[in-house]
Amino acid sequence: MAMDGQDIQFADTLPPPEYAKAPTWTFEQQVQELTRRLMVVNVTLKKQLSFSPRPTDVIVATSPKSGTTWVTHICHQIRTKGAEPDFENQMPDVIVFLDMGGRPELNIEPNTMVQPAEPRIYYTHHTYESIPKGGKLIYCFRDQKDALYSLALFVDSILALKGRVSLSVFSELLTNLHWTADNLRGLLGWWEHRHDEDVLFLFFDDLKEDHMRCVRRIAKFIGVDCDEETFARVVHTTTHAEMARHSSKFDVHNLVSFWAKMYGDDPPSEFNGRVRKDGGRSGDGQKLSREMQERIDLEWYDIITAKLGFRDLKEMRATWKKEMDTL
C-alpha cells in the first residue's frame, strides 16, 4: 500500500472527519478512524528500499513490536563499549530507519548520514526478500499474540487514539489486514536463511531468557570484540529496566509529529514510546480475546505447521536451540 512521494495528495483525500476529536467513538467510527490513521502512516513508508549497504553495515529487520528497539540498542551499545546513552533520540541520532529514508522533512538519508561509531546500524520492517543485500542482517521474531498486544498499546499512544479504539477492534482490524499472517510468512523467509553467513536469527524470548548469550552472539556477528567487563556493561545498559529509565530517548518524536500533521490532529503531549515502562514482557498476548488467540493459532498452523511442521513457537525455538548448540 505504500506510495512513495504521494504523501500530500493522499492526506488531502483523507481529511479528518468531524468526530475525529470527539472523546469517544462508535464502533463504526473506531474502525474508520483507525483505518484512516494507519493508512496515513503506511503511505509514508517506503515500498522499496533505496539503500546500498557496506559489507560491515548492520540491518536489524523485524516486524513491528518484535524487539527492533532492543536489538538496535544492543548493537549500538556493543559498538560504543557499553557507554551511557548520550543521544537525545535514538532514531535518527544514532540509528537510521530505512523505511523512512530519503525524506528531507525528517532529515533521514541512509546513504549519507554520519553515525557516531562503526559499524553503521539501520533497521527496517521489510521482509528478507525485499531488503538490499550486501550488509549483515539481524532478524528477531516475537510471539505474534504478544506483538499484536504490544502494537495495540503503541499505536493507541503514538497516533493519539486516546483509548477510543478498543483492543478487540484493533486486533480484529489488524488480523483482517493480514498483519499477523504476513509476519508469519516473513518468518518462513528468514527461517530458510537462518544459517546464511550474513544472517543472525534470533527469537525475542531467547533474548529474554539468555540476555548475555544473545549479546555475545550479536557482538561476534557484527565483528566487535568485547572483554568481559564490556559485555557486562552492555547487558546492563540494555536491560528493560535501564532502557525504560531512558525511555524518552527511544521515542520517535519526529515521526509522531510528522504523522499527526498528516492525519490532522494534535500530536500527543505524552505517549508510550517504543520502550514502555510496563512493557518488554512475554505472555501479554493472553490479554487478547480467546477468539483472537485461537485465530492467530490457526494462522500459525496454516502457515508454519503446514510448511515446516512446527506445532507452535516453543517447538520451533527448541529446534533452533539444538541447531545452535551443534554449531
Side-chain angles (χ1 to χ4, degrees):
M1 290 175 60
M3 297 180 290
D4 296 345
Q6 302 298 316
D7 306 34
I8 303 302
Q9 297 91 323
F10 183 83
D12 288 344
T13 65
L14 287 176
E18 293 183 1
Y19 64 78
K21 295 189 177 183
T24 59
W25 294 333
T26 65
F27 173 81
E28 290 77 12
Q29 290 170 347
Q30 290 182 54
V31 174
Q32 292 170 8
E33 188 59 11
L34 175 59
T35 301
R36 188 181 74 89
R37 298 191 185 202
L38 288 175
M39 290 178 74
V40 165
V41 171
N42 186 66
V43 78
T44 67
L45 302 177
K46 296 178 74 66
K47 188 175 183 180
Q48 293 182 325
L49 301 180
S50 53
F51 174 62
S52 301
R54 302 171 185 169
T56 56
D57 286 344
V58 177
I59 302 176
V60 176
T62 69
S63 53
K65 306 309 296 176
S66 297
T68 318
T69 306
W70 194 7
V71 176
T72 53
H73 189 50
I74 289 173
C75 291
H76 176 67
Q77 290 304 104
I78 289 172
R79 72 179 179 179
T80 61
K81 306 297 184 179
E84 186 74 9
D86 59 356
F87 50 83
E88 181 178 344
N89 199 340
Q90 189 206 39
M91 202 296 292
D93 292 356
V94 297
I95 307 290
V96 180
F97 184 26
L98 291 176
D99 302 13
M100 295 292 288
R103 297 193 173 276
E105 64 269 50
L106 295 174
N107 192 30
I108 300 175
E109 179 43 65
N111 288 302
T112 60
M113 287 182 68
V114 177
Q115 296 196 25
E118 291 287 341
R120 302 190 303 179
I121 303 168
Y122 303 86
Y123 74 93
T124 179
H125 296 313
H126 276 243
T127 61
Y128 175 85
E129 292 75 13
S130 61
I131 296 175
K133 305 306 187 292
K136 300 180 179 183
L137 309 177
I138 301 179
Y139 173 72
C140 186
F141 180 80
R142 186 181 189 184
D143 180 281
Q144 286 301 284
K145 298 169 191 172
D146 291 347
L148 181 58
Y149 179 79
S150 181
L151 184 69
L153 299 185
F154 180 63
V155 169
D156 178 84
S157 183
I158 67 166
L159 295 188
L161 300 178
K162 303 172 184 176
R164 291 171 292 183
V165 174
S166 69
L167 178 60
S168 61
V169 167
F170 182 89
S171 57
E172 186 76 19
L173 178 61
L174 266 288
T175 48
N176 285 344
L177 291 172
H178 311 294
W179 188 79
T180 49
D182 285 346
N183 292 340
L184 291 173
R185 281 187 279 270
L187 171 61
L188 284 179
W190 285 100
W191 183 258
E192 182 180 345
H193 294 276
R194 67 192 183 280
H195 292 302
D196 291 2
E197 290 185 358
D198 62 344
V199 171
L200 179 63
F201 190 100
L202 300 170
F203 285 111
F204 183 90
D205 288 330
D206 290 344
L207 277 164
K208 295 289 295 181
E209 294 176 9
D210 200 340
H211 192 172
M212 175 62 85
R213 183 185 185 190
C214 290
V215 166
R216 291 180 186 276
R217 288 183 61 203
I218 292 171
K220 180 179 180 180
F221 179 72
I222 69 176
V224 177
D225 293 327
C226 299
D227 57 26
E228 292 305 309
E229 184 178 344
T230 300
F231 275 127
R233 283 199 305 272
V234 171
V235 168
H236 172 71
T237 57
T238 59
T239 61
H240 184 269
E242 274 299 296
M243 291 178 67
R245 189 168 68 88
H246 298 288
S247 60
S248 63
K249 292 180 179 291
F250 302 98
D251 293 340
V252 283
H253 301 282
N254 52 346
L255 298 187
V256 171
S257 298
F258 177 65
W259 289 328
K261 184 181 297 184
M262 289 188 65
Y263 61 69
D265 202 348
D266 297 325
S269 56
E270 296 183 4
F271 59 94
N272 290 318
R274 296 186 296 165
V275 181
R276 298 194 333 270
K277 288 183 170 58
D278 62 342
R281 295 192 299 256
S282 296
D284 276 348
Q286 299 303 310
K287 297 176 183 178
L288 298 171
S289 69
R290 179 180 300 176
E291 292 75 17
M292 181 54 58
Q293 293 181 55
E294 291 175 349
R295 178 173 177 175
I296 295 174
D297 286 339
L298 182 59
E299 289 180 341
W300 176 279
Y301 179 82
D302 289 341
I303 297 170
I304 303 300
T305 307
K307 181 74 173 180
L308 302 177
F310 300 121
R311 292 169 295 180
D312 53 30
L313 180 57
K314 182 179 180 180
E315 190 173 286
M316 190 180 204
R317 287 179 59 209
T319 296
W320 180 231
K321 185 178 185 302
K322 288 180 181 178
E323 292 183 4
M324 288 298 301
D325 289 343
T326 61
L327 296 179

